[in-house]
Each structure stands twice: as structure tokens, then as C-alpha cells.
């Protein structure tokens, strides 16, 4: 029996056997649509909390142990890490056929967009030149192996100041065994503090510093015996033979990638803390993924911190670049190639498109809000309302008096018992439309980054209120 699609209370679900002729029936059941919306709604109502020290799970402890026991250092300073498998790697099943099929779809896309193909080839050629990937040989479709082949596709990000086209590798693609590479890997513990804590601390520095690490994941080497699990197929021209490639570095897309890259970064700070005490502390405390948000009380301290951070990270081939500061003197102390040119700077720090984002303007040292609402003539629905309000990015709660209005509207919708696709009742739709049209006024608000805390402050008071 082939998979069957049904429109249910949960939305469209897909169920049945994935391979009808297989004596071992691999069943799928998928009813994520409504559950994802409910989860999105729950997150919208949840309050952001500061980081709390938590006890690691048994798997996270094991992941840390694997790193400590297997990490090595090359002569150029790069770290070499093992993929943290849950026990010994099991047979993943055949994956080459799926990777080939996805490549064919990608090439169909290339036929309609030559510019995309040129960008894509350029990126993968750069990986090869930097020795981030290696050619294994021509594709042999007649044989399978114990390797895992990563399907890949293109994501176009026009707002990016560096690479607009990105190659995304899919380590969650299931093989003929029903397993994917990510199924067999540990995710690893969260090592960095939450964005709220980092932003709050960033506001205490009179002189601000922002920077990021270029291709952070691809600065960490994967040990040779694990690279066969990071293979992929590609060819520059459709007439060329298809080649098998292998990633030599940590690949964004595998579930352990963030852990391995961040752990290597923090491990560097740990072993170099005697030589770079302040910079090492910043690496541990003030990095959110590959982005640094830190600062100092004086220009001289900030200049020294930038210099030490660059030197420290260069020891493991982590190139720090795209520096931003509210001080012209700090920026002038850096090579022009290391400065961020596109300003103001987005603070979203993720790939999601935000209805409301936060921007930092270093020249005036203020935060501003940017509203990204598309014009629409379609009547609002419960789904469209949630989609736009849940993407109001406000990690420090500055806009709570505004966003609470959207939350109250959702409470009213609960009483109506509407489906996600139904149009909003006229009384709620008119209130929502008015609210939506007024959101652009938030762009007139500006908030000082520096809150005048710092070394010279002798007394701080916290005032709050509560209701019984």
C-alpha cells in the first residue's frame, strides 16, 4: 500500500508504507502541521528566561567525554574532532541513490537560473581550494558503501553582506534503512549563554565591539575515519561526469555541528587563558554562535581587546572579521578589510525572516526597530496573524506594552474556536488590521545601547512589582 494523504482535524497527514515492495515495511505517520502552529503559539506566549546552570543529561556527558578523549591539534593550530556517534556507527543503509536524485533536482533548478549555478559552483570550488573538501573519484552507481551521502540544495539570502547563495547539506535525509546520519549522532550540550544575557551584558560597556568568525564551522577538522559519513555528489557542468566529494571539516547540517564548532572555540580559550586572560573570558562569555558582542570601558582597552581576540582566535585558524564599534578610534586601529561596511547591523542572529527585527546603529550607539510587513489584500486568518506576531523579535521585552495587545487578541480568538485557515471575525479583524498598520511607528523608537553601567557605577537598584 502506498502512502495516503488525509485532511484531518490536525491538518493534512501522510501515513502508510514508504517502500511497498520491501518485506520490512517502513511506516511513516506525519501530522506536524497543526502541532507546529500550536508550538509556535506556545513559544509566543512563553517569557524569555535568563540562562540557568543545568545538569547535563547522560548523553551530553558522553558527548563531552568523546570530545575530550579524541580532540587533537594540527601543526597549523586547527582542532581535529571526532563525530560523536551514539555508540559504534551502525549501518546507515544506502544513501547514494537519494543523493543522486536530489542532485538531478538541483540541476533542473540550475537550468532555469544560470546565475545560481555559477554562484553554487564558485562556493564548492572555494571549498575544494581551501581543502575543506576532497574529490574521492567519479560516481559509481553500481555499488553502495558504508559511507553516507549528503543531499544538498541552495538557499538564496539577498540580505547577506557576504555570501548571498548558501549550500545547505541535509544530514537528516533518511537512507533505505530508515535512518539518517543525524539519527546516529549526539547533539551535544548547549555551551553558550542565551542571547538575552549577552545583550544585557553588552549594554554595560561604554565602548561597543561586535565581530564574527568567518566560516566558523569550516575551521574545525573532522578526523579522517569519520569523513566518509560526510560525502556528497556534484559536477560543475551537466555534461561532466558526477564526482564524489568528501567534507574534511565540520559540516553545517549535521546535528553535532554547532556543538563541535563552539566546543573547539571554547577549548581554545581554555588552553590559552593564561596568555589571553580577558580575551579568553570574552570567548567563553560574549559569543552567540559565531558572533561576538562585547566591549570595554575605554578606547584603549577596546583596541587591546580587539587585537587580543584576533590573535587568540587566529591560533586555531578562526578568522575574526566584520568588526563594528561606536568608536571611530577602535575601527581605525583595525585593517579596513576587517571592518563591517553594511550598517546598520541586524541583531536577529538567525536565518529567520522577522516581522520585527532589531538593528544596531554604531555611529549613534542606539538600537532601532525595523518592521518587515508585506503588503497584502488577503483577509487576515488565525494562521497569518500568528505568523506575523510570533516573529516580533524582542528579546529584552522593550515592546511588551505593544506585543501584549497581540496576545490579548489571541486569547479572544480562543473563545471563537476558529480553524487556522478561517478568516478572522470582523470585530477581531478590524482590531488586528489597525494594530498591524500601526506597527511601522515602532521604527521611530530608539533605545540607547549603553545603559551607563560599568566600572564607575557604585550602586545599582532593581525595582519590580508583582500581583498576588
Amino acid at each position: 500500500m502506498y502512502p495516503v494523504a488525509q485532511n484531518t482535524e490536525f491538518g493534512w497527514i501522510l501515513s502508510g508504507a514508504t517502500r511497498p515492495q520491501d518485506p520490512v515495511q517502513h511506516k511513516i505517520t506525519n501530522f506536524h502541521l497543526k502541532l507546529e502552529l500550536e508550538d509556535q503559539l506556545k513559544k509566543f506566549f512563553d517569557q524569555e528566561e535568563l540562562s540557568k546552570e543545568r545538569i547535563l543529561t547522560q548523553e551530553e556527558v558522553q558527548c563531552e567525554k568523546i570530545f575530550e578523549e579524541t580532540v587533537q591539534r594540527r601543526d597549523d593550530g586547527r582542532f581535529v574532532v571526532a563525530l560523536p556517534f551514539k555508540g559504534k556507527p551502525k549501518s546507515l543503509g544506502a544513501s547514494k541513490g537519494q543523493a543522486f536524485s536530489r542532485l538531478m533536482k538541483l540541476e533542473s533548478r540550475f537550468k532555469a537560473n544560470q546565475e545560481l549555478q555559477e554562484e553554487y559552483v564558485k562556493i564548492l570550488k572555494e571549498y575544494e581550494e581551501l581543502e575543506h573538501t576532497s574529490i574521492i573519484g567519479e560516481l559509481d552507481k553500481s555499488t553502495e558503501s558504508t559511507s553516507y551521502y549528503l543531499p544538498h540544495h541552495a538557499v538564496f539570502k539577498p540580505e547577506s553582506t557576504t555570501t548571498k547563495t548558501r549550500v545547505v547539506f541535509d544530514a537528516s535525509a533518511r537512507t533505505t534503512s530508515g535512518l539518517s546520519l543525524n539519527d546516529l549522532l549526539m547533539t551535544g550540550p548547549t555551551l553558550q549563554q542565551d542571547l538575552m544575557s549577552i545583550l544585557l551584558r553588552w549594554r554595560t560597556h561604554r565602548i561597543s565591539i561586535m565581530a564574527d568568525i568567518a566560516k566558523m564551522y569550516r575551521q574545525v577538522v573532522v578526523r579522517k575515519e569519520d569523513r566518509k559519513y560526510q560525502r556528497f555528489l556534484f559536477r560543475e557542468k551537466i555534461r561532466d561526469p558526477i564526482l564524489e566529494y568528501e567534507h574534511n571539516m565540520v559540516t553545517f547540517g549535521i546535528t553535532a555541528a554547532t556543538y563541535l564548532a563552539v566546543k573547539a572555540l571554547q577549548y581554545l580559550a581554555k588552553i590559552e587563558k593564561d596568555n589571553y586572560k580577558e580575551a579568553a573570558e570574552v570567548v567563553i562569555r560574549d559569543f552567540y554562535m559565531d558572533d561576538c558582542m562585547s566591549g570595554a570601558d575605554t578606547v584603549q582597552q577596546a583596541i587591546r581587546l580587539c587585537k587580543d581576540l584576533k590573535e587568540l582566535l587566529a591560533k586555531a585558524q578562526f578568522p575574526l572579521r566584520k568588526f563594528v564599534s561606536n568608536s571611530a578610534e577602535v575601527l581605525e586601529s583595525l585593517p579596513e578589510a576587517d571592518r563591517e561596511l553594511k550598517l546598520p547591523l541586524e541583531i536577529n542572529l538567525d536565518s529567520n525572516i522577522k516581522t520585527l527585527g532589531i538593528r544596531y546603529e554604531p555611529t549613534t550607539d542606539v538600537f532601532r526597530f525595523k518592521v518587515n510587513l508585506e503588503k497584502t489584500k488577503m483577509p487576515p486568518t488565525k494562521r497569518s496573524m500568528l505568523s506575523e506576531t510570533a516573529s516580533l523579535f524582542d528579546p529584552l521585552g522593550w515592546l511588551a506594552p505593544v506585543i501584549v495587545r497581540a496576545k490579548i487578541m489571541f486569547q479572544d480568538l480562543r473563545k471563537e474556536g476558529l480553524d487556522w485557515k478561517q478568516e478572522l471575525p470582523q470585530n477581531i479583524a478590524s482590531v488586528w488590521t489597525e494594530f498591524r498598520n500601526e506597527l511601522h511607528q515602532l521604527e521611530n523608537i530608539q533605545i540607547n545601547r549603553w545603559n551607563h553601567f560599568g566600572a564607575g557605577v557604585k550602586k545599582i537598584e532593581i525595582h519590580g512589582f508583582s500581583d498576588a
Side-chain angles (χ1 to χ4, degrees), residues 156-164 342 346 350-353:
F156 185 67
K157 296 177 66 176
E159 72 278 5
S160 174
T161 61
T162 51
T163 307
K164 296 187 184 300
K342 185 178 178 181
E346 298 287 343
D350 64 26
S351 59
N352 296 324
I353 301 298

Side-chain angles (χ1 to χ4, degrees), residues 95 98-99 102 148-153 168-171 173 231-232:
S95 58
Q98 179 177 220
R102 296 272 286 271
Y148 181 79
Y149 291 82
L150 295 156
H152 52 93
H153 63 275
V168 178
F169 293 91
D170 182 10
R231 291 191 175 178
F232 67 98

Side-chain angles (χ1 to χ4, degrees), residues 145-321:
S145 67
T146 57
S147 303
Y148 181 79
Y149 291 82
L150 295 156
H152 52 93
H153 63 275
V155 172
F156 185 67
K157 296 177 66 176
E159 72 278 5
S160 174
T161 61
T162 51
T163 307
K164 296 187 184 300
T165 301
R166 294 189 181 276
V167 181
V168 178
F169 293 91
D170 182 10
S172 294
R174 299 193 184 279
T175 68
T176 53
S177 70
L179 295 172
S180 70
L181 176 62
N182 281 345
D183 290 331
L184 305 186
L185 291 175
M186 302 178 191
T187 303
T190 300
L191 301 173
Q192 294 174 321
Q193 293 189 26
D194 60 271
L195 182 57
M196 181 194 285
S197 300
I198 294 171
L199 283 172
L200 285 171
R201 190 164 45 248
W202 188 38
R203 297 190 67 203
T204 66
H205 302 294
R206 189 173 72 87
I207 306 298
S208 69
I209 295 171
M210 286 189 78
D212 73 29
I213 300 170
K215 299 181 176 66
M216 182 175 80
Y217 291 64
R218 294 195 164 273
Q219 311 304 340
V220 182
V221 184
V222 171
R223 66 179 182 177
K224 198 166 186 178
E225 57 264 44
D226 289 344
R227 295 175 193 172
K228 66 179 182 179
Y229 300 106
Q230 297 191 142
R231 291 191 175 178
F232 67 98
L233 307 177
F234 192 66
R235 58 184 171 186
E236 290 186 24
K237 299 177 181 177
I238 295 177
R239 297 184 300 274
D240 295 343
I242 296 173
L243 301 177
E244 292 190 18
Y245 290 79
E246 196 169 74
H247 290 283
N248 303 322
M249 323 300 276
V250 169
T251 303
F252 185 76
I254 67 170
T255 190
T258 298
Y259 166 77
L260 291 172
V262 172
K263 184 66 179 179
L265 183 66
Q266 294 190 351
Y267 194 72
L268 171 67
K270 178 182 174 183
I271 62 180
E272 291 284 351
K273 64 180 180 181
D274 290 340
N275 299 321
Y276 298 92
K277 184 177 179 181
E278 186 180 359
E281 187 178 348
V282 166
V283 169
I284 297 292
R285 187 193 62 189
D286 292 345
F287 267 81
Y288 186 78
M289 304 293 282
D290 56 353
D291 290 280
C292 173
M293 285 177 282
S294 191
D297 290 328
T298 68
V299 170
Q300 290 72 27
Q301 290 171 346
I303 291 173
R304 186 177 68 249
L305 179 58
C306 291
K307 175 177 175 292
D308 288 349
L309 280 170
K310 281 182 61 67
E311 286 183 7
L312 169 60
L313 268 58
K315 287 183 175 294
Q317 303 299 316
F318 287 119
L320 199 59
R321 55 159 197 182

Side-chain angles (χ1 to χ4, degrees), residues 101-114 116-117 235 238:
S101 176
R102 296 272 286 271
L103 178 62
M104 294 301 99
K105 290 181 181 178
L106 178 64
E107 290 186 344
S108 296
R109 198 175 161 193
F110 286 162
K111 289 177 183 177
N113 190 337
Q114 188 176 353
L116 176 66
Q117 181 181 11
R235 58 184 171 186
I238 295 177

Side-chain angles (χ1 to χ4, degrees), residues 17-219:
T18 56
R19 304 206 312 277
Q21 285 75 34
D22 199 321
V24 180
Q25 293 268 310
H26 293 272
K27 304 249 181 206
I28 57 173
T29 302
N30 186 335
F31 50 92
H32 67 277
L33 180 62
K34 184 172 180 181
L35 298 182
E36 279 185 355
L37 289 168
E38 294 287 356
D39 186 55
Q40 193 177 5
L41 183 57
K42 180 179 179 297
K43 288 180 179 178
F44 179 56
F45 276 86
D46 284 346
Q47 291 292 319
E48 187 77 33
E49 293 185 359
L50 295 173
S51 296
K52 296 178 182 177
E53 190 172 348
R54 65 178 184 86
I55 299 173
L56 298 183
T57 65
Q58 188 174 352
E59 182 179 296
E60 289 171 341
V61 171
Q62 181 62 23
C63 190
E64 291 272 72
K65 183 180 179 184
I66 290 173
F67 182 92
E68 296 284 347
E69 291 178 350
T70 59
V71 65
Q72 298 176 350
R73 198 92 180 266
R74 291 200 324 194
D75 291 341
D76 64 357
R78 292 186 195 275
F79 288 103
V80 182
V81 300
L83 296 183
F85 283 97
K86 302 172 183 177
K88 293 184 178 180
K90 302 173 185 176
S91 174
L92 276 167
S95 58
K96 195 182 291 186
Q98 179 177 220
F100 175 81
S101 176
R102 296 272 286 271
L103 178 62
M104 294 301 99
K105 290 181 181 178
L106 178 64
E107 290 186 344
S108 296
R109 198 175 161 193
F110 286 162
K111 289 177 183 177
N113 190 337
Q114 188 176 353
E115 184 182 355
L116 176 66
Q117 181 181 11
E118 291 172 356
E119 282 284 318
Y120 210 86
V121 169
K122 182 180 177 182
I123 292 167
L124 292 182
K125 199 72 179 173
E126 182 187 30
Y127 287 171
E128 189 181 340
E129 291 169 355
L130 294 172
E131 299 183 350
H132 292 177
T133 60
S134 299
I135 297 175
I136 305 301
E138 288 191 17
L139 169 65
D140 183 358
K141 293 179 68 177
S142 64
T143 61
E144 269 295 346
S145 67
T146 57
S147 303
Y148 181 79
Y149 291 82
L150 295 156
H152 52 93
H153 63 275
V155 172
F156 185 67
K157 296 177 66 176
E159 72 278 5
S160 174
T161 61
T162 51
T163 307
K164 296 187 184 300
T165 301
R166 294 189 181 276
V167 181
V168 178
F169 293 91
D170 182 10
S172 294
R174 299 193 184 279
T175 68
T176 53
S177 70
L179 295 172
S180 70
L181 176 62
N182 281 345
D183 290 331
L184 305 186
L185 291 175
M186 302 178 191
T187 303
T190 300
L191 301 173
Q192 294 174 321
Q193 293 189 26
D194 60 271
L195 182 57
M196 181 194 285
S197 300
I198 294 171
L199 283 172
L200 285 171
R201 190 164 45 248
W202 188 38
R203 297 190 67 203
T204 66
H205 302 294
R206 189 173 72 87
I207 306 298
S208 69
I209 295 171
M210 286 189 78
D212 73 29
I213 300 170
K215 299 181 176 66
M216 182 175 80
Y217 291 64
R218 294 195 164 273
Q219 311 304 340

